[in-house]
Amino acid sequence: MRVALSTASFVLLAAAATYTSASPLKKRQAFQPAAFDTWVWQDVSGTQCADGSSTGIAYNAHADYNTKDLLIWFDSGGACRDANTCFYNPTAWNLNGYTNYTFQNYARPALESQILMTTRDPSRNNPWANSHMLFVPYCTGDIHGGNNVITYPNAPRPIYHKGYTNFQSIVSLASSSVPWIENIYVAGSSAGCYGAVINYVAVRQAWPSATVHLVADSCEGVPGFLDAIPSWNLYQPSGNSCPDCVQGQFNSIVPALAQANPRSRFAAISYTVDDFLPYYMGTSLSDFAALIKQYFINITNTAGNMAKTFSVSGQAHGVFIRDTPGSSTDSALAAWLASMKNLGSNFTSQSV
Ligand SMILES: *[C@@H]1O[C@H](CO)[C@@H](O)[C@H](O)[C@H]1NC(C)=O
Ligand SMILES: *[C@@H]1O[C@H](CO)[C@@H](O)[C@H](O)[C@H]1NC(C)=O
Ligand SMILES: *[C@@H]1O[C@H](CO)[C@@H](O)[C@H](O)[C@H]1NC(C)=O
């Protein structure tokens, strides 16, 4: 049932509503999208970009209000870790703020016509074409995982590495707005891939009765990577939410989350040779390619058979970002993701 209100927004109306948890129909009235099957920007108070300015989210609500699938897509865009990479020769995007304008001009075209998982174009066979979608912008330089304010030596002003705390605000708003969701797919490419992996636990906790799956495109870590940039104060899953996660070791997280969440599926995607991450990680293309290969073997062998990989032969970074719509890789990836999404299917690792 859809309720049309002129004061449509993504805000929580639940506090004012008089429903009980036994009334799912009324619960749905808590979410009043401004429009359906199109992207809508919404400012979110309490969020901070690298320059301290506030940002928001974009959502794309599907017209079928009964949809119980939600895709959460984390934006990509590099990283920064000192005055040079954050200010003088920036290696991260949107450090000077992220607004509706940024979203409309830079993110939206890619969401609509490039990235397979976020397109509603029927010719692409996107398994999430009929899902609700939430876009998490990236403007903190900290792979969506930081919680620190720091003035780097020789920097003109502080940097707000607040990706983790921003997502806490976002996920709190989103889970109270669409509490009925049953299947959540946390996903991203590059910096957004790290963001999806690191923030998986926050999504699990925000929707305790939903099943949360992961699609991680092009993120791996050299040994100790999670501890390598203390200025980010990166969140690391641990304890009850990820008993097998190993401190500092990014590559331990996906297999460990698969162990801790046996009903959920985990998909890792990469080119065989990533030509971007090795520069951030201070290693060679060939050593990093060997690391990806072993990491993908580890994922494939995770007990439970719910974590698998999709490997694209070639040298590039970000399969969803670089993939050509309509190509054979695009259709193979769509078919593989459909198998991942269908919990009754035989989910296996694939190389193309
Ligand atoms: C965002 O920008 C679009 C395009 O300019 C505009 O139609 C929309 O009303 C804006 N949304 C908000 C919340 O300002
Ligand atoms: C593969 O798994 C082993 C055992 O957990 C671990 O020691 C190793 O670091 C992992 N390698 C990669 C590249 O993930
Ligand atoms: C699943 O697929 C793999 C690889 O194609 C195959 O070896 C295996 O027998 C299949 N398992 C089932 C239960 O169909």
Side-chain angles (χ1 to χ4, degrees), residues 44-219:
V44 177
S45 61
T47 53
Q48 285 174 310
C49 287
D51 66 348
S53 65
S54 75
T55 181
I57 51 158
Y59 64 86
N60 190 320
H62 186 46
D64 176 3
Y65 219 18
N66 290 318
T67 302
K68 295 186 175 59
D69 289 355
L70 171 67
L71 169 67
I72 301 179
W73 180 262
F74 283 83
D75 194 13
S76 52
C80 83
R81 59 173 81 170
D82 53 28
N84 186 42
T85 57
C86 294
F87 290 97
Y88 303 117
N89 296 291
T91 54
W93 300 348
N94 306 314
L95 298 176
N96 296 317
Y98 200 118
T99 63
N100 186 28
Y101 179 88
T102 325
F103 175 74
Q104 301 291 344
N105 290 282
Y106 301 105
R108 186 174 183 167
L111 292 171
E112 287 175 341
S113 53
Q114 172 66 40
I115 298 162
L116 174 63
M117 287 188 80
T118 56
T119 182
R120 298 207 193 270
D121 176 354
S123 72
R124 299 281 296 276
N125 295 322
N126 171 23
W128 289 274
N130 297 320
S131 300
H132 297 309
M133 300 177 188
L134 174 65
F135 169 84
V136 181
Y138 181 49
C139 59
T140 50
D142 59 357
I143 59 171
H144 294 275
N147 182 13
N148 194 27
V149 182
I150 185 169
T151 303
Y152 289 112
N154 304 316
R157 52 185 167 82
I159 278 275
Y160 291 74
H161 289 307
K162 286 287 187 177
Y164 179 72
T165 38
N166 286 350
F167 189 66
Q168 296 285 314
S169 302
I170 290 167
V171 82
S172 160
L173 173 67
S175 61
S176 53
S177 300
V178 289
W180 63 85
I181 294 295
E182 292 179 358
N183 299 295
I184 303 175
Y185 302 85
V186 184
S189 220
S190 191
C193 179
Y194 294 99
V197 172
I198 288 169
N199 288 292
Y200 176 94
V201 168
V203 176
R204 276 285 288 120
Q205 290 169 347
W207 281 271
S209 56
T211 308
V212 182
H213 310 273
L214 178 78
V215 180
D217 171 28
S218 301
C219 59

Side-chain angles (χ1 to χ4, degrees), residues 221 251-252 290-292 294-296 298:
N251 299 349
S252 75
L291 178 143
I292 294 170
Q294 182 59 50
Y295 176 52
F296 275 24
N298 284 1

